[in-house]
Amino acid sequence: MPRQEHLSQARGALARRGRPQRPRTRPAALIPRGRVLQQLLAGLLFLCLLAGLAPAAALDAPGFERIEAARADPASPDAPPAGGWTAVTLPDAWAERWPAHDGVVWYRLRWNEPAMAGVPAPRGLAMDYFSMAGAVYLNGALLARDPQLDEPLSRSWNHPRHWLLSAPLLRPGPNELLVRVSGLAAYAPGLGPVMVDSPAAADAHYRHEQLIRESLHMLSLGITLAMGVLYGLFWLLRRNETFYGWFSLFSLLWVPVGYNYIARSTWPFGSTDTYQAVNMSALVLSTAAFLMFALRFCGLRRRRAVQLIGGATGLTTAALWLAPHALLSPVRGAAVVVALATYTLSAWIICRHALASPRKREVQALALCTLLPLAAGTHDVLVFHGVLATNLYYTPWSSSAMLVGISFVLTWRFVVGMRLVEHFNDELRHHVEDATQRLSSVLHREHATELQNTRLAERMNLVRDLHDGLGMTLSGHIASLENRDAAGPDTALWALREVRDDLRLIIESSALDDTDRLSERLAPLRHRTTRVLEAAGIECTWALQGLDQCRLDDRRGLDFLRLLQEALANVLKHSRASKVRIGIEAADGQLSLAVADNGSGFTAGRDGHAGMGLRNMEARSRRLNGTLDIRPTPGGTTVALRFPVEVLEDGVR
């Protein structure tokens, strides 16, 4: 039996981040937790060893009078040798007898077949395997032959066979079964158990061997491939949980290891050595990936350990590829031991994490899943090195069970995580709805407050407009009407028209029409205020510069005109001036206003109207983003305003 069976790999569970929290109180147990693990592992190993030793009692082939083996003549390997036959027992590995023999060995099995009425009863022939490839002859007639009896050899080392023997192939009396086996010394070449019995017994034996040697391996291979793809997708969706990726890599690397049990040829590789190098490299790399999974699952960030893992894996893989053919057997044996040691370390890390987290049921389940393949892998290593005289390997079966168990643990953890996310989403939705309601209530109150403030502001604007516009007009005309000697017959009508024009200015400002230039807006105001001031005996002089291309929107334009009206109203009502000069200039993105009189000066708060007018002027200057300066001069008072305007294509705004 060739040493193709390799260590089993465990599958991991979803790792929780952070260092596991130890419970405040430990379970009341008299046995230390390390001894518990040792007892569990020892029990599993004992069971596996018993199961491996059980078939050894049935290795002899009952019914055969003599079983012999002889090396073929290199000149004619297709013919049985004439001499050199040596008695052997089955199963037989000729590397123990002929350590350096690569080539063909013939096995000869003889028995006597009783006959009734000169015709032997039908018999069943069952053969567990021959390693690596071969041909079977009964009484000189060919029963079966592998496609490749030369390198690259067919891989029949784990392929059971079954035939129904009857006359004329089966003869009464002496019968001879010849088996031609082609193999390489590095891969334990030889012949497995052979059974000649009743057709029913041989068929039952064949079905049993087919189940454990082929069917279970195919099932394990399918499960491994499915888990690798599935948890690879999980890792793509959750990149931060790297243990998904390591578990997927471990599963995918285990696929060629599992395929080795059912492969019938070395395809796509051209030699048995290359095929075995790939297979053993996949074994070593898969166990290294599982160790990385264990570290990530337990939340351990051991940089030095990762470097050691990478170094040991690289050296072992390089040795498998670079070793000469004569050293392949010890190198492969060392690689199997390295893989078992790596997996053992991984299982120890997971079990230690499970003992430190007694309340995490999924971690406990994962630890149990890793122990069974560990025991099976230990058993298979002993079989691989010939310590146990059996041909049964438990790694694939335990691997399938482990994959199913770990996939359940991973799915469990994933579902638990999704439930936590859903619970968090529900809580978040509840908090968002509550915050939305509170925000809606606050916004409603703020809206009501803002609406009220807007109404108050509009009322104040209206009061200011009436005060600054109509106030000056009415004050001037009242003064004219009080002077009965100067008042003419049309004075009252003229006063009413002035009031009407001023009201029209207020109404038109609400239309937000900014098509009028500042000079056009200023012209009516200039005309009315000049008449009012001159009617009161005040000489009025205007100096305008750069206003033809100056345009203000209605709100700013109205604020500017009202501020100018209020300044002139103060001259009319409080200055006792005989002259006033108004200068307005637009230059360098600034609009400047200066109102200078030769009156008696100005004191803020002189009466109620004057105080309100000053506040209105300051409010309007702030809205214009400008500066207002009211200062007395040696010859009167000067009101100065300056604020910025924007330059447009057609002028200044």
Side-chain angles (χ1 to χ4, degrees):
M1 176 68 188
R3 299 173 183 175
Q4 313 301 324
E5 294 70 12
H6 310 305
L7 298 176
S8 170
Q9 312 305 315
R11 305 303 192 256
L14 278 166
R16 294 181 184 267
R17 293 188 173 182
R19 188 178 298 277
Q21 300 296 323
R22 298 182 180 273
R24 295 182 181 178
T25 59
R26 299 186 179 276
L30 298 178
I31 303 177
R33 62 186 183 184
R35 185 172 298 176
V36 172
L37 277 180
Q38 294 175 2
Q39 292 182 353
L40 287 174
L41 183 57
L44 290 172
L45 288 173
F46 180 72
L47 292 176
C48 291
L49 292 176
L50 286 180
L53 290 173
L59 293 179
D60 292 334
F64 292 106
E65 294 181 354
R66 188 172 179 82
I67 303 175
E68 299 172 306
R71 288 184 290 184
D73 185 356
S76 56
D78 294 334
W85 294 94
T86 303
V88 297
T89 58
L90 300 182
D92 177 66
W94 80 59
E96 299 176 0
R97 188 179 308 106
W98 302 302
H101 179 62
D102 293 336
V104 177
V105 169
W106 284 86
Y107 287 88
R108 184 169 63 189
L109 295 81
R110 293 176 175 176
W111 79 97
N112 284 313
E113 190 65 41
M116 297 181 63
V119 178
R123 305 283 277 178
L125 173 62
M127 187 175 298
D128 289 3
Y129 65 91
F130 39 74
S131 178
M132 288 291 223
V136 182
Y137 301 86
L138 176 62
N139 296 323
L142 178 64
L143 293 181
R145 183 183 187 279
D146 283 332
Q148 285 294 125
L149 298 181
D150 297 317
E151 191 63 19
L153 297 172
S154 297
R155 301 184 61 78
S156 296
W157 68 271
N158 201 41
H159 178 39
R161 303 169 191 245
H162 171 243
W163 298 274
L164 179 62
L165 307 179
S166 60
L169 289 178
L170 187 64
R171 304 170 182 173
N175 286 267
E176 183 180 73
L177 183 69
L178 290 173
V179 182
R180 179 193 189 278
V181 178
S182 299
L184 302 174
Y187 308 113
L191 179 63
V194 179
M195 175 183 182
V196 176
D197 207 334
S198 65
D203 182 68
H205 179 81
Y206 165 73
R207 292 182 182 277
H208 174 265
E209 292 296 315
Q210 186 183 44
L211 173 66
I212 63 177
R213 294 181 184 276
E214 293 184 333
S215 300
L216 290 180
H217 291 299
M218 294 181 67
L219 176 63
S220 174
L221 185 63
I223 293 175
T224 303
L225 182 60
M227 293 300 103
V229 174
L230 176 62
Y231 290 101
L233 294 176
F234 279 6
W235 173 72
L236 290 176
L237 296 176
R238 303 175 68 85
R239 293 290 187 87
N240 59 322
E241 295 179 344
T242 55
F243 57 86
Y244 276 123
W246 286 112
F247 180 75
S248 173
L249 180 61
F250 158 63
S251 301
L252 294 176
L253 287 172
W254 186 255
V255 169
V257 179
Y259 177 72
N260 179 60
Y261 290 90
I262 60 175
R264 295 291 173 263
S265 69
T266 60
W267 184 90
F269 307 105
S271 68
T272 301
D273 288 348
T274 304
Y275 179 90
Q276 290 296 332
V278 172
N279 185 260
M280 296 299 294
S281 298
L283 171 67
V284 175
L285 293 173
S286 64
T287 54
F290 186 76
L291 181 55
M292 290 300 301
F293 160 76
L295 291 173
R296 294 296 180 262
F297 172 80
C298 299
L300 301 177
R301 304 287 179 179
R302 300 290 190 267
R303 184 175 180 181
R304 186 176 297 276
V306 172
Q307 293 175 348
L308 291 175
I309 294 170
T313 302
L315 289 176
T316 305
T317 304
L320 288 170
W321 285 91
L322 299 177
H325 180 76
L327 297 178
L328 282 179
S329 183
V331 170
R332 291 175 64 244
V336 170
V337 173
V338 169
L340 177 61
T342 304
Y343 180 81
T344 303
L345 178 59
S346 306
W348 177 80
I349 292 173
I350 294 175
C351 291
R352 183 174 180 273
H353 181 60
L355 291 174
S357 309
R359 296 184 180 181
K360 298 179 179 180
R361 301 300 181 187
E362 67 277 11
V363 181
Q364 310 294 328
L366 177 62
L368 292 177
C369 290
T370 60
L371 289 179
L372 180 60
L374 179 60
T378 304
H379 165 270
D380 290 354
V381 169
L382 297 178
V383 174
F384 184 90
H385 287 276
V387 178
L388 299 179
T390 179
N391 189 41
L392 289 179
Y393 288 81
Y394 297 145
T395 297
W397 311 338
S398 62
S399 175
S400 300
M402 178 190 66
L403 280 169
V404 173
I406 293 182
S407 65
F408 174 77
V409 172
L410 290 177
T411 305
W412 183 10
R413 286 285 298 272
F414 187 79
V415 171
V416 170
M418 292 303 297
R419 288 178 179 174
L420 291 176
V421 172
E422 292 173 356
H423 179 67
F424 174 77
N425 289 338
D426 292 338
E427 290 186 352
L428 181 61
R429 187 181 303 107
H430 174 73
H431 290 311
V432 169
E433 291 176 354
D434 184 59
T436 301
Q437 293 178 357
R438 293 198 303 268
L439 181 60
S440 177
S441 177
V442 171
L443 290 177
H444 179 74
R445 291 195 301 268
E446 290 183 354
H447 176 71
T449 303
E450 186 69 20
L451 183 61
Q452 183 178 3
N453 292 337
T454 302
R455 291 171 179 171
L456 292 175
E458 291 299 325
R459 291 174 183 174
M460 289 301 299
N461 289 335
L462 181 60
V463 170
R464 292 190 185 100
D465 291 339
L466 293 175
H467 174 272
D468 296 344
L470 292 178
M472 175 184 175
T473 304
L474 291 174
S475 298
H477 292 305
I478 289 172
S480 299
L481 292 175
E482 287 177 346
N483 187 2
R484 298 181 181 272
D485 296 336
D490 297 330
T491 302
L493 179 61
W494 173 69
L496 292 175
R497 288 177 178 173
E498 292 289 334
V499 172
R500 179 199 64 187
D501 293 340
D502 208 66
L503 285 174
R504 180 179 297 170
L505 179 62
I506 296 174
I507 295 172
E508 290 177 350
S509 66
S510 64
L512 299 178
D513 182 11
D514 60 351
T515 58
D516 294 338
R517 301 178 185 275
L518 181 59
S519 59
E520 296 174 355
R521 289 175 177 268
L522 187 62
L525 177 65
R526 175 183 177 184
H527 175 70
R528 292 196 303 272
T529 54
T530 300
R531 292 183 59 182
V532 171
L533 291 170
E534 290 180 349
I538 301 175
E539 181 182 347
C540 185
T541 304
W542 294 79
L544 309 178
Q545 186 175 355
L547 301 186
D548 291 340
Q549 299 300 323
C550 183
R551 180 182 298 170
L552 297 175
D553 60 71
D554 285 278
R555 185 72 264 172
R556 301 184 76 201
L558 185 61
D559 283 335
F560 175 73
L561 295 179
R562 290 307 186 210
L563 190 147
L564 175 58
Q565 281 184 305
E566 178 62 21
L568 295 176
N570 288 334
V571 173
L572 178 66
K573 293 185 290 183
H574 308 297
S575 68
R576 301 187 186 91
S578 60
K579 293 182 180 180
V580 62
R581 185 180 184 279
I582 303 100
I584 304 176
E585 180 182 3
D588 300 328
Q590 297 284 331
L591 186 63
S592 302
L593 168 68
V595 179
D597 62 63
N598 61 349
S600 59
F602 175 74
T603 302
R606 186 172 184 176
D607 53 46
H609 294 288
M612 182 177 181
L614 179 59
R615 290 195 299 272
N616 290 347
M617 293 172 67
E618 291 175 346
R620 294 184 190 280
S621 67
R622 286 193 298 271
R623 286 203 296 267
L624 291 171
N625 196 23
T627 57
L628 178 67
D629 183 22
I630 303 176
R631 61 183 182 277
T633 60
T637 302
T638 299
V639 177
L641 171 68
R642 185 179 180 85
F643 63 93
V645 291
E646 297 179 3
V647 179
L648 300 179
E649 294 181 359
D650 58 346
V652 181
R653 187 186 179 95

